[in-house]
Amino acid sequence: MPTLTAATPLPTTDEEIWRYSRIGELDLDRFTPTAADTDVRGGAGIEIDHAATGDALDVIGRLTGDAAPDVFAALNLEHASPTLITVPAGRVVEQPVVVTHMVRGSDEAVFPRLVIDAGADSEITVVEVFTSEPDSTSLVVPVVQIRAGQAARVRYLAVNELGERVWSIGHQQALGERDSQLLVATVALGGDYARVRTDVRLSGAGASAKQVALYFAGGTQMHDFRTIQDHDAPHTHSDLLFKGAVQDHSRSVYTGLIKIREHARGTAAFQTNRNLTLSEGAWAESVPNLEIETNDVKCSHASTVGPIDEEQRFYLESRGVPPSVAERLVVLGFFDEVLSQLPAGDLATDLRARVAAKLSIGDDPR
Amino acid sequence: MTTLEIRDLHATVGGTEILRGIDLTVSSGEVHAVMGPNGAGKSTLSAVVMGKPGYTVTSGAVTLDGVDVLAMPPWERAVAGLHLVMQYPTEVPGVQLHDVMSEAFAARGRSVDGLDELLRAEAGRINFDERFLDRALNVDLSGGEKKRNETLQLAMLRPRIAILDELDSGLDIDALRDCARRVEDLSNEAADSDHPEGGHGSLGVLIITHYSRVLSELPPDHVHILVKGRIVASGGPELADRLDAEGYTAFAPEEDLKVETGDDHAKPVERPGSLDDLFAL
């Protein structure tokens, strides 16, 4: 069976964008490239193509001239199992399109590649779900590319419900053209080591992007997020809210960069990352960065890492709520700010229940 | 009939002794006021009785009908019948009043059937806008709305003894009146009330306050003056009148009235423009 080989060596944690990662544990030789098992629901009346090749699969590279940003994005292009969703100009797709990848087997490598090409003034919501057999030891290297054409409204949500032995190294790239509105959301509950890098580039004046994420690791899981808010045009607006929690011996990393290019005057960019450490043995890191090349901007970032707020817990306990129940309420309340912004409302209710079920607080009897 | 007994209570915060031997007894249906200047230990007293983390009891006892309260975690104290109306109610983002009440009822073995109806009925009694029932706890509420929310929870949970910590700070006279009236009703309620939790008898109330304004809305039966962690005088309502006329200097030497650090460390900074400023002694 052919094993996986990369054209260039794997990165190391010496590179800033891989700092704190578990990249050193990855052995590509172990994996066999396999076609993804993908199911698509919804999207009646629009073109969904699983046979696309070449340039059609690299809408971002075609428009920006940028090469695949790293070895994993390159591997994805080489082995891609494509889903290309093309929304014609002016078309409003009412119901969310749900793309589900089922990861099976042991030591397989799958490369789902989702391309959402939304024409001018179109509107679409796409939910991409990653799920697996519970004991799968496979590797997922997904890429999603989103182009929001002029004044298009595109909402995307990735949901990671992978088993706790699956590795995932994902890349989300979005490009917002003039006056477009992007929502790029991620909910990560699964995976052993699960990394998502998100690059959102606003290339047209008046474009705006909202990025939200909820991540919650337990056991020995690690969630790893890298975000870039790239302002490449004047009067662009980005707002990022990432909230995570770690329990047991799990870990999480968030590093975020706001990049405002010289010609992006009149831009506003905000970045907030908040982390709850729910156990002594859990660890979270948060590293915000700014790179601003012009003066006429409004920019802020905030980041926190810490346990559940003692005042909040005491307030609930003082009403007669037992500590474990109080903590559960506070954690679910903490995530509510993200859940309430997810594009598919029904799904948010379901995800809230999954978060509640995963919380190990209160597993002991009252 | 329920009795909260505080006996020779000493407590420290960050190694500094703030309570230096408090004795107080509050029974069902009684309204007690503990008045004191800044730094006297008022907020420490309420925090220690409720079991807030960060305070250390070094000696003395607190009992509810003879049962040791200090041995219980805060939530058990609440279930046993103690309730604290906080000076600065904590904002708990994303957590709904309904969910907290439902868990609080469950901890008391009370059915949650009709919880929403009860919430709306109690909200109506104190002019708490029903729209606020769906907000996260205390988030985006004004000072008056927060105290109405606190009073609403008090009425919902039916404690035996309630401690009101600076009820009148940060709220307008209408809100104060609504809250005070509800507490007064609860303290006058007969033991055979038809409330599902009736039978506890009327509420015993411990008002902790710097200013006498709240006492004109919620008249006390007993007044105690707290200075430097000790009760220096106890009497009837006339004691509050004397305090109003003569100030705390009538009850304690000047050097004991200086504000010290310690008691205030856990409190948020006093909001500028608070109504308290208008009533400063």
Side-chain angles (χ1 to χ4, degrees):
Chain A
M1 268 189 303
T3 57
L4 196 56
T5 44
T8 53
L10 291 186
T12 68
T13 52
D14 292 341
E15 290 174 50
E16 179 58 30
I17 202 152
W18 290 94
R19 198 173 158 210
Y20 305 114
S21 77
R22 283 170 59 188
I23 189 67
E25 295 173 35
L26 182 64
D27 176 14
L28 281 188
D29 293 344
R30 207 184 90 200
F31 300 97
T32 308
T34 310
D37 180 353
T38 300
D39 170 71
V40 181
R41 303 269 163 100
I46 54 167
E47 190 193 334
I48 297 177
D49 180 4
H50 295 290
T53 54
D55 267 5
L57 292 183
D58 191 16
V59 62
I60 303 276
R62 201 171 72 223
L63 289 165
T64 63
D66 294 350
D70 64 26
V71 59
F72 295 98
L75 277 171
N76 177 284
L77 199 54
E78 183 186 342
H79 299 280
S81 299
T83 302
L84 169 59
I85 300 176
T86 308
V87 192
R91 178 74 59 87
V92 174
V93 183
E94 302 277 357
Q95 293 298 317
V97 177
V98 181
V99 180
T100 305
H101 310 287
M102 178 66 180
V103 178
R104 302 181 194 280
S106 53
D107 298 348
E108 294 176 355
V110 290
F111 299 88
R113 188 175 188 91
L114 173 63
V115 178
I116 305 165
D117 193 353
D121 200 30
S122 67
E123 182 170 327
I124 189 167
T125 299
V126 179
V127 179
E128 188 174 29
V129 180
F130 299 89
T131 184
S132 78
E133 292 174 339
D135 53 354
S136 171
T137 54
S138 295
L139 168 69
V140 197
V141 183
V143 167
V144 57
Q145 287 198 343
I146 303 166
R147 179 185 77 97
Q150 181 168 342
R153 285 86 61 200
V154 181
R155 295 177 289 268
Y156 167 79
L157 166 63
V159 180
N160 164 359
E161 294 176 351
L162 295 164
E164 296 200 6
R165 299 175 69 190
V166 176
W167 269 52
S168 177
I169 297 180
H171 204 126
Q172 303 171 340
Q173 287 177 283
L175 187 70
E177 297 180 358
R178 189 183 179 91
D179 295 328
S180 63
Q181 294 171 30
L182 279 164
L183 171 62
V184 180
T186 301
V187 173
L189 299 175
D192 175 1
Y193 171 72
R195 171 187 171 98
V196 180
R197 172 175 164 176
T198 306
D199 294 16
V200 174
R201 180 151 154 185
L202 300 175
S203 65
S208 68
K210 184 169 273 219
Q211 289 171 253
V212 297
L214 179 168
Y215 48 102
F216 180 21
T220 56
Q221 288 182 299
M222 178 170 187
H223 289 147
D224 179 339
F225 287 93
R226 315 285 161 151
T227 67
I228 300 173
Q229 294 157 263
D230 183 353
H231 290 260
D232 190 14
H235 303 291
T236 46
H237 185 279
S238 72
D239 196 354
L240 178 146
L241 175 68
F242 273 44
K243 288 186 128 177
V246 281
Q247 67 183 11
D248 310 325
H249 288 85
S250 63
R251 287 178 279 166
S252 75
V253 171
Y254 169 82
T255 74
L257 174 68
I258 293 177
K259 181 174 177 172
I260 300 182
R261 303 194 193 208
E262 202 177 347
H263 54 279
R265 65 187 183 281
T267 279
F270 307 100
Q271 184 193 88
T272 303
N273 175 232
R274 303 209 182 279
N275 297 279
L276 284 179
T277 47
L278 301 177
S279 316
E280 288 285 328
W283 178 90
E285 181 66 55
S286 177
V287 187
N289 287 296
L290 299 174
E291 185 183 314
I292 301 176
E293 294 169 3
T294 180
N295 288 324
D296 178 21
V297 294
K298 210 157 71 179
C299 212
S300 76
H301 62 84
S303 102
T304 53
V305 177
I308 288 176
D309 184 274
E310 204 172 69
E311 299 268 339
Q312 293 181 8
R313 180 174 40 204
F314 175 68
Y315 185 80
L316 299 184
E317 285 182 40
S318 76
R319 314 288 118 151
V321 177
S324 59
V325 179
E327 290 187 2
R328 294 179 76 89
L329 287 173
V330 171
V331 175
L332 292 172
F334 169 80
F335 282 135
D336 192 65
E337 193 182 3
V338 173
L339 289 169
S340 64
Q341 296 188 55
L342 296 183
D346 301 352
L347 196 58
T349 311
D350 179 46
L351 289 169
R352 189 178 195 274
R354 282 168 196 265
V355 172
K358 184 168 179 171
L359 266 172
S360 53
I361 300 168
D363 281 351
D364 49 333
R366 276 181 192 177
Chain B
M1 180 74 167
T2 293
T3 301
L4 172 71
E5 271 199 77
I6 301 172
R7 284 291 158 261
D8 193 29
L9 185 64
H10 291 250
T12 60
V13 179
T16 308
E17 186 169 54
I18 305 294
L19 301 184
R20 306 190 298 155
I22 304 270
D23 289 283
L24 261 181
T25 304
V26 181
S27 294
S28 300
E30 297 175 353
V31 177
H32 289 249
V34 169
M35 305 186 69
N38 286 335
K42 299 191 300 296
S43 284
T44 299
L45 177 61
S46 65
V48 166
V49 172
M50 207 63 215
K52 186 170 184 174
Y55 299 80
T56 310
V57 174
T58 47
S59 66
V62 180
T63 58
L64 192 65
D65 290 337
V67 179
D68 181 7
V69 163
L70 297 177
M72 301 178 187
W75 76 277
E76 285 181 9
R77 300 183 194 197
V79 171
L82 279 177
H83 190 91
L84 173 61
V85 169
M86 293 193 189
Q87 180 177 11
Y88 300 111
T90 312
E91 296 186 5
V92 194
V95 177
Q96 307 274 319
L97 178 62
H98 171 95
D99 293 347
V100 176
M101 287 300 106
S102 151
E103 295 293 354
F105 273 40
R108 288 162 173 81
R110 277 172 72 177
S111 162
V112 295
D113 292 345
L115 179 67
D116 285 316
E117 290 73 14
L118 192 56
L119 271 170
R120 277 197 294 276
E122 287 292 355
R125 289 185 75 155
I126 54 166
N127 299 310
F128 185 66
D129 196 322
E130 278 190 25
R131 285 179 302 137
F132 300 148
L133 291 175
D134 296 326
R135 286 216 186 145
L137 273 178
N138 297 316
V139 176
D140 296 329
L141 294 186
S142 72
E145 288 158 352
K146 282 181 182 170
K147 291 300 172 73
R148 282 195 172 98
N149 191 358
E150 288 288 280
T151 306
L152 169 74
Q153 294 178 48
L154 167 70
M156 291 291 294
L157 296 174
R158 291 299 163 123
R160 295 157 194 249
I161 305 286
I163 303 166
L164 315 180
D165 189 5
E166 307 281 3
L167 178 68
D168 64 332
S169 73
L171 84 175
D172 56 88
I173 190 70
D174 289 335
L176 175 57
R177 216 157 258 170
D178 288 335
C179 294
R181 197 111 327 137
R182 189 71 190 96
V183 174
E184 196 174 20
D185 286 350
L186 291 168
S187 78
N188 290 331
E189 205 160 74
D192 58 356
S193 134
D194 59 1
H195 188 276
E197 288 300 291
H200 286 168
S202 44
L203 181 70
V205 180
L206 179 58
I207 307 168
I208 291 181
T209 186
H210 189 139
Y211 308 113
S212 60
R213 178 173 78 136
V214 62
L215 306 184
S216 57
E217 299 301 328
L218 189 52
D221 311 305
H222 307 274
V223 174
H224 314 271
I225 310 291
L226 180 70
V227 176
K228 272 207 132 176
R230 283 200 189 93
I231 287 172
V232 294
S234 288
E238 73 285 349
L239 207 53
D241 298 333
R242 194 179 146 212
L243 182 67
D244 247 359
E246 301 174 31
Y248 284 109
T249 45
F251 299 93
E254 194 73 47
E255 62 265 28
D256 284 358
L257 298 173
K258 282 197 223 118
V259 178
E260 286 182 24
T261 55
D263 187 37
D264 293 318
H265 89 291
K267 288 197 295 193
V269 177
E270 187 82 25
R271 284 131 177 96
S274 152
L275 271 172
D276 284 350
D277 304 343
L278 299 175
F279 293 85
L281 287 168

